[in-house]
Amino acid sequence: MTTKRSTPSERFDRNVQRRSAQVLKQRVLEQQRTEFGKALAWAAEQDAIERAAALIVSARRRYLLGHGKSLGFASLLAADLSAGLSGVHLVDGAALRPLDVLSDIRQGDLLVAVCMARYRRETIDVASAYVRHGGQLVLVTDAEDAPLAETAAVRIVIGTDSASYANSPTSVVLALHLLATLTIASSKGAGRRLRERDALAAELDLYQEEP
């Protein structure tokens, strides 16, 4: 799997423009069915997700990083991990800035960076600096030759091909779902934390219960 160079506008011209809604829908669905099958086969055969989960669960503090669309993926993983783990922090540039993280790297800390084509310079620069200053990196990306691939302790490489103008999130979300599940399953305190969160959610009346 190699780096994808096309832009959204180029994919629009190639895949979307002047196609009927029915034809386009079928093309996207067929492409997604193919990509999802590839993702399932990859996940069954490779151990990158297991190795990444082992690093995350053993870390002292876990930082999640992404920019642009990848920030959405990083936020999703942070939300799922924080349900069962403490010390999970989303580096969003507001509540937690990259400079804060880089200036306080400690032994046992881990950065999980989501960096998909087109690769944002902010993610590359921050993650590279994190590794240079002694931190450990788990990378979620879409190509074996993507930026940061050579510096990551573990890299999860998942396809994002689509018949749309936008790269597909389907396989990425599957990989993140598996990563969160395996991490929480191997965390000794996850069950207690999840039960405490359920009790607090009920106390604060956060959710509309089913009738």
Side-chain angles (χ1 to χ4, degrees):
M1 192 180 297
T2 57
T3 303
K4 302 169 181 63
R5 302 292 184 187
S6 61
T7 67
S9 64
E10 290 168 344
R11 291 191 295 272
F12 177 84
D13 291 341
R14 182 175 66 246
N15 298 332
V16 177
Q17 193 174 37
R18 293 185 297 276
R19 298 188 188 280
S20 72
Q22 186 63 31
V23 169
L24 181 58
K25 183 178 76 170
Q26 290 304 316
R27 283 171 57 90
V28 172
L29 289 174
E30 289 170 7
Q31 178 72 33
Q32 290 304 284
R33 186 179 294 111
T34 299
E35 286 304 309
F36 193 68
K38 291 179 182 178
L40 290 174
W42 174 87
E45 296 170 359
Q46 303 295 323
D47 66 349
I49 293 177
E50 291 92 331
R51 289 186 287 118
L55 288 179
I56 294 171
V57 78
S58 63
R60 180 173 175 271
R61 295 183 295 183
R62 301 99 175 165
Y63 296 103
L64 286 297
L65 175 68
H67 287 86
K69 189 174 179 178
S70 292
L71 176 59
F73 295 135
S75 300
L76 174 63
L77 183 57
D80 286 346
L81 290 177
S82 63
L85 290 175
S86 61
V88 177
H89 309 283
L90 179 65
V91 186
D92 61 358
L96 182 60
R97 299 170 299 175
L99 185 60
D100 300 327
V101 176
L102 293 175
S103 62
D104 190 32
I105 298 174
R106 302 178 188 177
Q107 185 175 6
D109 289 352
L110 179 72
L111 178 66
V112 181
V114 183
C115 190
M116 300 290 177
R118 301 182 304 170
Y119 309 105
R120 288 290 290 264
R121 292 187 185 277
E122 301 100 312
T123 302
I124 298 167
D125 292 345
V126 171
S128 297
Y130 191 85
V131 173
R132 285 199 307 273
H133 288 273
Q136 199 168 31
L137 173 66
V138 167
L139 175 65
V140 181
T141 190
D142 58 0
E144 293 288 352
D145 63 343
L148 301 171
E150 295 302 318
T151 60
V154 176
R155 61 179 181 266
I156 297 171
V157 182
I158 197 74
T160 59
D161 287 345
S162 175
S164 173
Y165 69 93
N167 285 334
S168 171
T170 305
S171 298
V172 182
V173 173
L174 170 64
L176 297 181
H177 179 58
L178 285 171
L179 180 57
T181 301
L182 297 183
T183 301
I184 298 304
S186 58
S187 172
K188 293 181 180 178
R192 173 189 54 77
R193 183 176 175 86
L194 287 165
R195 288 189 293 272
E196 289 177 353
R197 286 168 62 95
D198 284 347
L200 286 168
E203 178 184 332
L204 296 172
D205 196 22
L206 295 182
Y207 304 110
Q208 175 65 48
E209 298 296 336
E210 294 293 333

